[in-house]
Amino acid sequence: MERCRFSCSFTRYFIVFLFLLSVINGQDSSQVAPDGGFLKREYSLTKPYSSNGMTMPFWDFRDNAMLTNNYIRLTSNHQAKLGSVWNKIPCYLRDWEMQVQFKVHGGGRTLAADGFAIWYTKERMTPGPVFGSRDEFHGLGVFFDTYKNGPQAVTFPQITAMIGNGTTKYDHMTDGKINSVGSCLASFRNKDYDTFVTVRYVKETLSVRLDIDGLGEWKECFIVPGVKLPTGYFIGVSAATGDLADNHDVTNIHRQP
Ligand SMILES: *[C@@H]1O[C@H](CO)[C@@H](O)[C@H](O)[C@H]1NC(C)=O
Ligand SMILES: [Ca+2]
């Protein structure tokens, strides 16, 4: 094995080098991983939601929102209700992804209202006219609109997204069309199973994907580049009913860095 002396010792040193590299990397990622895991847990809403049925460690809820063992009911299927659930901790990661498991259901086969919204905003816990939350918000609203106010010849529900600068208003009369940055139609009501939406914000590109057929397949709703969102905003989900109603239930919120 004379021939091998140099290459063997080289290989040995190289293995030691790789080992040291992996130790350094390991230290590095072990510093990041628990932190990332911690952040993820703080931003996630999973069962059991509450140990006492009244409070959640990282989330607040208000108005008609109600905790059960299996879901958070933002509104029940009654007129003129609103409710919301808001994360308590501002989100400082530049890129993020949020997955929301939900169920929108009620007695009306085609007529229901108003829908719900997923928020990433400066403001939190402020009720108002935009799917149960305040208008003139700073940040992102993704609206799951079950009632068609406008004249367009399409079948609702419709999903739209809007970026607010604190003065822009959501326009109900056009179902948010005026300030929409992306939209799609999606029949997510009255499914036998829970439905899923992923809101992803990576490298200033906002995308919304849905799994509403219960097949574990994601379908793109829209993808829009060049979206500017600051860090330090709050995650929330709100819902409202009007003259028409629906149960708006959220089962799970997963946040991924
Ligand atoms: C917000 O956006 C609207 C519409 O684009 C614009 O007219 C307004 O000046 C903006 N306000 C601020 C505070 O940037
Ligand atoms: Ca509407």
Side-chain angles (χ1 to χ4, degrees), residues 114 131 145 147-149 156 170 172 175:
D114 291 331
F131 302 93
D145 189 346
Y147 184 78
K148 184 169 67 174
N149 301 76
F156 269 36
Y170 176 80
H172 275 288
D175 300 295

Side-chain angles (χ1 to χ4, degrees), residues 55-130:
T55 56
M56 294 180 280
F58 303 116
W59 297 82
D60 289 318
F61 61 104
R62 60 167 296 149
D63 304 308
N64 302 122
M66 184 179 79
L67 298 186
T68 76
N69 287 337
N70 296 314
Y71 50 82
I72 292 164
R73 179 151 287 172
L74 299 172
T75 77
S76 59
N77 187 17
H78 293 93
Q79 293 180 320
K81 301 283 180 201
L82 62 85
S84 58
V85 59
W86 286 92
N87 192 256
K88 291 178 184 178
I89 299 137
C91 168
Y92 283 105
L93 293 162
R94 185 170 300 281
D95 295 338
W96 47 264
E97 179 176 301
M98 178 175 15
Q99 192 180 92
V100 179
Q101 184 177 348
F102 64 95
K103 199 169 165 79
V104 177
H105 56 113
R109 201 174 68 82
T110 53
L111 285 177
D114 291 331
F116 73 100
I118 298 175
W119 301 98
Y120 173 71
T121 52
K122 188 175 182 178
E123 301 83 10
R124 67 185 289 277
M125 293 291 278
T126 319
V130 184

Side-chain angles (χ1 to χ4, degrees), residues 185-224:
L185 298 170
S187 62
F188 53 75
R189 285 190 67 247
N190 284 344
K191 299 290 184 190
D192 294 336
Y193 37 81
D194 283 8
T195 37
F196 298 85
V197 58
T198 296
V199 180
R200 193 160 192 247
Y201 181 67
V202 174
K203 294 185 177 140
E204 299 191 346
T205 295
L206 176 70
S207 59
V208 170
R209 288 180 301 155
L210 297 158
D211 173 14
I212 55 168
D213 297 326
L215 299 171
E217 286 170 7
W218 294 101
K219 286 188 181 152
E220 194 169 288
C221 175
F222 66 84
I223 176 161
V224 51

Side-chain angles (χ1 to χ4, degrees), residues 143-173:
F143 310 121
F144 295 71
D145 189 346
T146 50
Y147 184 78
K148 184 169 67 174
N149 301 76
Q152 62 274 46
V154 294
T155 305
F156 269 36
Q158 176 179 261
I159 300 171
T160 57
M162 165 179 166
I163 310 296
N165 66 6
T167 59
T168 37
K169 279 187 187 292
Y170 176 80
D171 182 33
H172 275 288
M173 293 323 291

